[in-house]
């Protein structure tokens, strides 16, 4: 995830255009995120470059499953959303 040096939270919007352009040039057509992208402008940028998104919506098994609802509802109708991802290598946690 795009976390700027000295920061602790992903800022997809700061890197979306540059990264989407580089990904498209490399032939990438889908990305999987660890944390949810709910910023529609970021999804628009990825979609404009022909990139599908596998959006991570449940990263931590200690969270209530209810955290997924708002993340899914925020962008469920966006054309870039290919599917949702839950968990991330939980066997290591």
């Amino acid at each position: 995830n795009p976390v700027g040096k000295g920061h602790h939270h992903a800022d997809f919007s700061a890197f979306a255009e540059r990264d989407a352009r580089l990904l498209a040039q490399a032939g990438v057509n889908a990305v999987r995120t660890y944390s949810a992208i709910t910023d529609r402008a970021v999804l628009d940028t990825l979609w404009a470059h022909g990139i599908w998104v596998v959006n991570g919506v449940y990263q931590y098994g200690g969270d209530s499953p209810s955290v997924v609802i708002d993340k899914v509802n925020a962008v469920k109708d966006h054309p870039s959303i290919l599917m949702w991802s839950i968990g991330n290598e939980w066997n290591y946690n």
Side-chain angles (χ1 to χ4, degrees), residues 18-79:
R18 182 198 67 188
D19 288 355
R21 186 177 60 254
L22 290 170
L23 289 164
Q25 288 172 354
V28 172
N29 66 358
V31 294
R32 175 189 168 264
T33 67
Y34 176 69
S35 58
I37 298 177
T38 55
D39 183 337
R40 288 180 168 272
V42 171
L43 295 173
D44 289 343
T45 299
L46 293 167
W47 190 238
H49 289 278
I51 299 172
W52 295 94
V53 177
V54 177
N55 217 3
V57 293
Y58 189 71
Q59 305 87 303
Y60 175 62
D63 284 342
S64 166
S66 65
V67 301
V68 172
I69 296 168
D70 290 338
K71 294 174 185 177
V72 169
N73 284 337
V75 294
K76 67 183 178 185
D77 61 339
H78 197 281

Side-chain angles (χ1 to χ4, degrees), residues 1 11 14-15 18 24 26 34 37 39-40 47-48 51 56 62 64 80 82-84 91 93:
N1 288 324
D11 181 6
F15 302 95
R18 182 198 67 188
Y34 176 69
I37 298 177
D39 183 337
R40 288 180 168 272
W47 190 238
I51 299 172
S64 166
S80 68
L82 179 62
M83 68 178 86
W84 309 101
N91 55 322
N93 293 336

Side-chain angles (χ1 to χ4, degrees), residues 2-24:
V3 178
K5 186 174 182 177
H7 297 275
H8 302 288
H9 300 286
D11 181 6
F12 293 103
S13 62
F15 302 95
E17 182 58 44
R18 182 198 67 188
D19 288 355
R21 186 177 60 254
L22 290 170
L23 289 164

